[in-house]
Amino acid sequence: MARLSVRNLEVVLPTNRAAFSAQSFELGVGEILGLLGPSGCGKSTLLRAVAGLIPSTGDVRLDGRTADEIGWPRFRRHVLYVHQRPLFLPGTVEDGLLRVLSYRSAREVSSASTMETGTATGMATETEAGDVRLTRARGSVPWPDTRPRAIELLAQVGLDASILSRPADSLSVGEGQRAALVRAFLIAPPVLLLDEPTSALDVGHRDRVEALLNDHVRHGGAAVLVTHDAAQAERLCASVRSVV
Amino acid sequence: MVILSVFDVVLASGLVVVAGLVSLGLGLRLEGRLGRAALHTVVQLLLIGHVLRWIFSAEHVVLIFGMMLVMVVAAARSAVQRPSRTFRGVFGHALFTLLLTGFVATMTVTHLIIGVEPWYQPRYLIPLLGMILGNSLTGLSLCLDHLLEAFDRDRARIEMELAHGASRWEAAKAPMREAVRKGLMPTINTMTVVGIVSLPGLMTGQILAGADPVVAVMYQIVVMFMIAATSALGSMLICVLGFRALFDRCHRLRAERVWLRV
C-alpha cells in the first residue's frame, strides 16, 4: 500500500478558476516525488491542499486512511507541510521548537507510536535505533532530552546551537529556512511536503539539506518536493510530475 | 433635587457654542457636526425620557422587556460597527453575547443582590442593563477588532501552527487570549481610577437626586463588579463564537471569511 495516495485533488479559487488541473499520485515509503512547474502554476497550493490546509475536492489518504479517520491535527503531524517562507512564532528559535513539540497531536503520536506498528504512526518501528529518539521526542520526552537531537540537526544544516537562543525574527531568510527544516525533521513525520526548501540557500547549505532529506527517506520517511531546480529534482526524486 | 426648566437647558446649550467657537477658531470645520450631534443628544434624550416615563408608569413586563431588547439590538449593532474588519454572522454573535451576558448580569444584580420587588421593576432593570451594555459593547468591539485583525494579519503563522499538527484551538488560543485581554482593559482601567479621576454617572445621578453618597457608592461598587463580569464573559463568548465561525471542522483557518470594512 502506498504511504500517501492522492486522487483527483482539485482546488477551486475564489475566482471560480481551478488552481491546477486535477492531480492524482502515489508516494511509497522511502520515495521523494518532485513537483515541477512555472511560478504561479499552483504547486504550493497543491501541497497545502494535500496537507488539508485549504478546502479541496478529491481524496488524500495516508496508509489508506483519510484525515477524517486519523484526525486532522494528527494527520498534519504525519503529512507535514513546510512553507517556503520560514515562519516562526514570536520568541526565540528554541521557544518555537518547544511549541511544536507541545501540541496535543504530538502527545497522541507519541503514545500511539508505542501501540500502533506498521502504520504511519509507527514510523519509529521502521527506523534505526538512533531515530527512536525522534519519535520519543514528540511530546512525551522533556525538552532537555530532545535538545541534543535539535542541536545535532542544526549542525547538519550548518547552524550553530547558539541560534536556539536568538529571537526568531532576527534570522536571515536562509537561516530561517534551515531552522524551519530542522523543526520539521525534529518531528520526523512519515511524509514531508517541502515547498522549495532550498530556494534561499547557497550551494553548500543546499547540499547539507539534501543530505538530511536523503537520510530522512532512507530511514522510512517520504517526501513531496516542490522545486524550480530540475537538477535538484533529478538528484533527489524517484519520480517527477509537472503541475499545470 | 433642583428641577431643571427648559430655560435652564437652553442656557446650558451655550456651553456647546463654546465648543463650536473652538472649532471655528482652530479651523476644524466641526461646527456642523457638533450642531447635529447636539441636536441628536437633545432629541434622543428627550425621546427616551418620555418613553421611560411611559414604561415606568405602565410597569408591564412585555413593554419592559421590549425596551430592553431594543437596547440590546442597538448595542450589538454598535459593537460590530466599530471594528475595522468583519465577517458574516458577526451581528448575530454580538446580539447573542449581549443578550445572554446582559440579561444574566442584570437579573443577578436586581434579583439576588438588590432584591427588587417585583423582579421586573423597570426603574432598576433598564438603567442597570443600560450601564452593562454601554460598557460591554466597548469591550466587545475592542475584543472583536483585535481578534479579527490577528486572524487576518497572522494567517500565515496560524497556518504554520496547523501544518505542524496544532489543533484549531491550539493555533487560535494566543490571539483569542490577547483579544479577551484587550476587551477587559477598559473596564480594569475604569475600575482603577473610579472615585479618584472620575465619578461615574450612576453615582453622580444618585447624589444629585439627594441620596446618601455612601449608599450611592455601594450601588456603584455593585455596578462596577457587574460590568467587570459581563465584560469578561462577553469578550470570552464573542471570541469563542468568532473562533467557531472562522475555523472549520477540518481545523483550517478560513481567513477568506474576514473582510475589511469599507
Side-chain angles (χ1 to χ4, degrees):
Chain A
M1 187 196 299
R3 172 133 285 181
L4 182 74
S5 121
V6 174
R7 290 269 166 275
N8 299 318
L9 191 67
E10 282 186 288
V11 171
V12 177
L13 299 170
T15 52
N16 271 340
R17 191 174 64 83
F20 46 78
S21 58
Q23 295 289 319
S24 300
F25 57 83
E26 289 194 337
L27 186 69
V29 173
E31 277 182 16
I32 302 177
L33 168 70
L35 294 181
L36 290 170
S39 295
C41 71
K43 301 185 295 296
S44 301
T45 308
L46 172 57
L47 285 195
R48 289 170 71 217
V50 171
L53 292 164
I54 49 172
S56 61
T57 57
D59 187 51
V60 179
R61 287 173 188 266
L62 178 73
D63 292 319
R65 294 198 298 163
T66 63
D68 275 325
E69 290 164 352
I70 296 169
W72 282 94
R74 200 165 152 191
F75 172 81
R76 292 197 188 106
R77 193 80 177 177
H78 291 131
V79 182
L80 198 155
Y81 170 63
V82 182
H83 292 75
Q84 180 189 3
R85 188 166 60 91
L87 294 161
F88 289 92
L89 298 170
T92 63
V93 172
E94 188 163 347
D95 293 337
L97 295 181
L98 275 165
R99 170 84 176 158
V100 299
L101 294 172
S102 72
Y103 299 140
R104 186 185 165 84
S105 63
R107 297 194 292 277
E108 286 171 359
V109 168
S110 181
S111 58
S113 65
T114 59
M115 296 182 292
E116 299 176 30
T117 53
T119 67
T121 52
M123 184 179 164
T125 61
E126 300 168 8
T127 63
E128 291 175 3
D131 288 306
V132 172
R133 277 181 306 166
L134 289 182
T135 309
R136 290 178 62 223
R138 294 169 186 157
S140 67
V141 174
W143 176 238
D145 294 343
T146 315
R147 204 171 189 272
R149 176 61 180 158
I151 292 170
E152 190 185 317
L153 286 167
L154 286 168
Q156 280 180 269
V157 296
L159 290 171
D160 190 78
S162 62
I163 201 171
L164 286 172
S165 56
R166 278 175 58 190
D169 59 10
S170 73
L171 304 185
S172 70
V173 180
E175 286 174 327
Q177 206 165 32
R178 283 177 285 158
L181 285 165
V182 165
R183 183 174 59 195
F185 283 116
L186 198 58
I187 294 169
V191 178
L192 271 169
L193 306 174
L194 301 171
D195 194 352
E196 299 192 47
T198 59
S199 58
L201 305 185
D202 58 47
V203 175
H205 288 127
R206 183 203 65 192
D207 290 346
R208 283 165 175 266
V209 168
E210 288 184 0
L212 201 57
L213 183 56
N214 274 324
D215 199 38
H216 174 72
V217 295
R218 216 174 19 252
H219 289 106
V224 180
L225 173 72
V226 162
T227 180
H228 277 293
D229 184 352
Q232 183 178 53
E234 196 167 321
R235 276 196 304 277
L236 294 171
C237 304
S239 54
V240 173
R241 290 178 62 83
S242 286
V243 181
V244 283
Chain B
M1 185 174 69
V2 179
I3 307 292
L4 295 180
S5 65
V6 175
F7 175 73
D8 296 327
V9 176
V10 171
L11 202 63
S13 67
L15 297 169
V16 180
V17 175
V18 173
L21 288 175
V22 170
S23 170
L24 266 177
L26 295 175
L28 303 178
R29 294 184 180 176
L30 288 175
E31 310 84 67
R33 284 175 69 178
L34 199 62
R36 279 195 297 278
L39 201 64
H40 268 278
T41 304
V42 172
V43 173
Q44 283 165 203
L45 288 180
L46 279 177
L47 203 65
I48 198 66
H50 283 92
V51 170
L52 286 179
R53 179 186 277 175
W54 175 56
I55 291 172
F56 286 5
S57 60
E59 280 211 3
H60 196 285
V61 178
V62 175
L63 276 181
I64 296 162
F65 277 85
M67 176 69 196
M68 289 168 80
L69 194 63
V70 169
M71 290 164 72
V72 172
V73 170
R77 196 166 164 268
S78 174
V80 299
Q81 278 177 340
R82 294 184 192 184
S84 54
R85 291 168 177 80
T86 189
F87 62 93
R88 189 190 295 269
V90 69
F91 172 72
H93 293 177
L95 187 63
F96 176 73
T97 303
L98 289 172
L99 265 177
L100 191 71
T101 56
F103 274 67
V104 167
T106 309
M107 288 302 167
T108 304
V109 171
T110 54
H111 201 63
L112 296 179
I113 298 172
I114 305 176
V116 176
E117 284 293 340
W119 62 270
Y120 54 84
Q121 218 183 103
R123 198 170 286 277
Y124 287 87
L125 279 186
I126 292 174
L128 284 172
L129 179 69
M131 271 182 289
I132 290 174
L133 293 178
N135 287 277
S136 286
L137 80 88
T138 307
L140 225 62
S141 56
L142 278 172
C143 179
L144 258 179
D145 191 41
H146 182 83
L147 188 75
L148 298 181
E149 189 193 331
F151 282 170
D152 193 23
R153 185 196 55 209
D154 297 339
R155 60 173 82 181
R157 183 196 59 75
I158 291 171
E159 188 179 282
M160 181 278 288
E161 288 218 73
L162 295 169
H164 284 76
S167 67
R168 54 184 170 173
W169 177 252
E170 285 168 323
K173 204 162 58 179
M176 285 173 72
R177 207 162 34 197
E178 188 56 25
V180 173
R181 204 180 76 85
K182 284 267 189 320
L184 265 175
M185 283 320 287
T187 305
I188 292 171
N189 288 341
T190 307
M191 286 172 79
T192 311
V193 299
V194 69
I196 302 170
V197 177
S198 65
L199 290 181
L202 170 82
M203 205 172 119
T204 314
Q206 279 189 311
I207 293 170
L208 284 176
D212 176 2
V214 176
V215 172
V217 161
M218 294 296 195
Y219 267 90
Q220 192 57 53
I221 291 171
V222 169
V223 165
M224 290 311 296
F225 290 169
M226 181 178 77
I227 288 168
T230 47
S231 289
L233 289 175
S235 297
M236 203 168 67
L237 188 56
I238 199 92
C239 271
V240 170
L241 293 172
F243 161 76
R244 288 180 62 84
L246 299 173
F247 282 83
D248 65 19
R249 62 164 200 88
C250 300
H251 295 256
R252 284 188 292 239
L253 171 62
R254 305 299 299 271
E256 76 277 7
R257 292 177 182 168
V258 178
W259 68 86
L260 266 172
R261 192 186 292 285
V262 282

